[in-house]
Amino acid sequence: MQSYVFAFFLFTSLSGQDVKEAHRVIATLASPTFWGRGYVNDGHTKAARFISDRFEEIGLSKFGSNYFQKFDFKVNVFDGDISLKSKKRLLVGQDFIPNADCPPFKGRLKIRKYDSTKTYTGRDIVLLDKKKSLSVNTITPSGKKLTHTFAQSQSRLLGFQLLDSSISKLSKTLKVNLNSSFKSVTSQNVLGYVRGTVSPDSFLIVCAHYDHLGGIGHQCYFPGANDNASGIAMLLQLATYYSKPQNYPKYSILFVAFGAEEVGLLGSKYYVEHPFIPLKQTKFVLNLDLMGSGLEGITVVNGSVFPKEFETLQKINEANHLLKVIKPREKAANSDHYYFSENGVKSFFIYSLGEITAYHDINDTSGKVPLSRFGEMYQLIVKFLETF
Ligand SMILES: [Zn+2]
């Protein structure tokens, strides 16, 4: 009975996660108010303020008078009307998306089928049969899925990705009204910490990016529920857990919500170049991105690079029967852990596997984020951080 009571106490104290609350955070960050947490309608700043307000409520410590670290960059954004009309009207996000580096344009173009023996002018738009790099305006079929991204430059040429099923909406001409601007942005990382009780000058970092792909025009935005409102939901619950006196960590833990990950890991790169804590005092970085499922387990980028820490994670998982599988992966420049490990700080990037198929498209909505193994992933992370 004693051991049962003890086990029960351990379980309840660790299962401080609240899946309902995680769903609420994800639904909020993925709502139209935040407009895909990009650089139109100030989505990124609204999201950063939302997180900073939560940090304040949780009681995280800050380094200065607020939780922000600002940085600047340039990016091409679609901040006005967008319409395409041919035989039928084409819907942005559903039929097509413009290439990330599209310039603004208003006018009518002649649609011509690609033929390598022909020459084309700026009044033509060439319908390709597969992706090709040409110095003319192009329409590229994108199969069954449209995937958006960001560009840090603006092209002089128009380019559209079109779903295969929407090609039938084309006739001989294409009427284009496209607004975009290449603009300077000041964005921000959001940083708060819990002071360690034994070695407060040594830090663990738990991070997740809060930004996403923003929107295109007035009708279409990318909710980014799994990518990465889900990681922010997890980060906030971990911050809540460690800020309770009974859970104070041995080492300090810095919680960072990074900005501009989708533009090219810009927030985390800036932090690594301008760290609030010397990198030498940072013992480990745990980056959380795509935490929406876990039903099929998780993948750990850098798992093969840091085998000792990976084995620890495996052992915790097996001993506690948490997740189906933990897969190791080599290094990859695919999220915010990257610049840390490139600069001598050990890091893992954990992403969850299973169920969710939406990625960088308009279907990554909060309703499609099941959080099936959110509690198990939370427990795995808490137990892992305790091993330091
Ligand atoms: Zn992401």
Side-chain angles (χ1 to χ4, degrees), residues 209 211-212 226-229 261-262 287-290 334-336 349 359-360:
H209 75 90
D211 67 296
H212 194 58
N226 186 36
D227 187 9
N228 186 29
E261 190 264 0
E262 304 286 8
N287 177 42
L288 310 169
D289 195 352
L290 314 170
N334 56 357
S335 192
D336 290 320
F349 158 29
Y359 178 70
H360 287 195

Side-chain angles (χ1 to χ4, degrees), residues 42-198:
D42 222 17
H44 70 121
T45 310
K46 286 177 191 162
R49 272 197 219 113
F50 171 84
I51 295 162
S52 123
D53 288 350
R54 302 309 283 260
F55 279 12
E56 194 84 62
E57 281 167 31
I58 293 167
L60 294 186
S61 301
K62 42 177 101 87
F63 291 99
S65 58
N66 59 55
Y67 293 106
F68 301 126
Q69 179 186 40
K70 305 255 183 194
F71 56 93
D72 304 313
F73 58 94
K74 286 186 172 175
V75 65
N76 197 41
V77 295
F78 299 94
D79 51 357
D81 273 343
I82 291 193
S83 66
L84 285 194
K85 204 170 170 231
S86 191
K87 191 188 328 178
K88 288 187 177 160
R89 185 170 290 285
L90 298 152
L91 299 174
V92 65
Q94 294 176 44
D95 293 306
F96 79 95
I97 54 173
N99 288 353
D101 62 357
C102 254
F105 183 83
K106 198 171 176 142
R108 197 180 286 272
L109 298 167
K110 203 167 159 192
I111 300 175
R112 300 183 62 190
K113 279 222 165 99
Y114 179 63
D115 179 339
S116 61
T117 64
K118 299 261 165 65
T119 54
Y120 303 99
T121 74
R123 307 307 296 174
D124 297 321
I125 187 156
V126 178
L127 178 60
L128 302 172
D129 51 7
K130 58 173 185 281
K131 205 175 168 183
K132 251 189 211 80
S133 162
L134 297 174
S135 43
V136 291
N137 300 323
T138 52
I139 300 172
T140 307
S142 66
K144 289 183 181 163
K145 183 175 164 17
L146 296 165
T147 304
H148 192 42
T149 179
F150 274 122
Q152 287 198 269
S153 61
Q154 193 174 75
S155 170
R156 287 163 59 202
L157 299 165
L158 292 170
F160 299 103
Q161 285 184 49
L162 189 68
L163 280 188
D164 287 357
S165 57
S166 301
I167 292 175
S168 61
K169 293 186 178 177
L170 298 178
S171 59
K172 287 184 175 158
T173 60
L174 184 68
K175 196 177 162 199
V176 178
N177 178 20
L178 190 161
N179 289 283
S180 65
S181 41
F182 188 55
K183 74 173 190 181
S184 297
V185 174
T186 299
S187 194
Q188 56 279 308
N189 298 323
V190 192
L191 304 97
Y193 66 94
V194 176
R195 208 176 138 78
T197 50
V198 178

Side-chain angles (χ1 to χ4, degrees), residues 160-308:
F160 299 103
Q161 285 184 49
L162 189 68
L163 280 188
D164 287 357
S165 57
S166 301
I167 292 175
S168 61
K169 293 186 178 177
L170 298 178
S171 59
K172 287 184 175 158
T173 60
L174 184 68
K175 196 177 162 199
V176 178
N177 178 20
L178 190 161
N179 289 283
S180 65
S181 41
F182 188 55
K183 74 173 190 181
S184 297
V185 174
T186 299
S187 194
Q188 56 279 308
N189 298 323
V190 192
L191 304 97
Y193 66 94
V194 176
R195 208 176 138 78
T197 50
V198 178
S199 307
D201 293 337
S202 291
F203 277 74
L204 303 171
I205 293 181
V206 175
C207 62
H209 75 90
Y210 68 85
D211 67 296
H212 194 58
L213 293 161
I216 303 178
H218 298 310
Q219 268 85 44
C220 158
Y221 81 100
F222 298 86
N226 186 36
D227 187 9
N228 186 29
S230 66
I232 293 295
M234 181 67 85
L235 180 144
L236 289 173
Q237 298 212 0
L238 292 165
T240 304
Y241 174 82
Y242 284 108
S243 64
K244 293 187 173 132
Q246 67 270 30
N247 304 327
Y248 281 164
K250 223 169 24 167
Y251 300 115
S252 297
I253 302 182
L254 172 60
F255 295 93
V256 192
F258 281 120
E261 190 264 0
E262 304 286 8
V263 189
L265 316 180
L266 300 186
S268 52
K269 184 167 190 278
Y270 187 85
Y271 177 82
V272 169
E273 288 163 358
H274 307 87
F276 284 4
I277 305 299
L279 294 182
K280 271 191 204 145
Q281 285 163 238
T282 305
K283 296 181 72 72
F284 200 86
V285 173
L286 192 63
N287 177 42
L288 310 169
D289 195 352
L290 314 170
M291 301 303 285
S293 173
L295 188 64
E296 300 301 325
I298 57 172
T299 295
V300 180
V301 174
N302 277 349
S304 325
V305 181
F306 305 111
K308 198 180 124 242

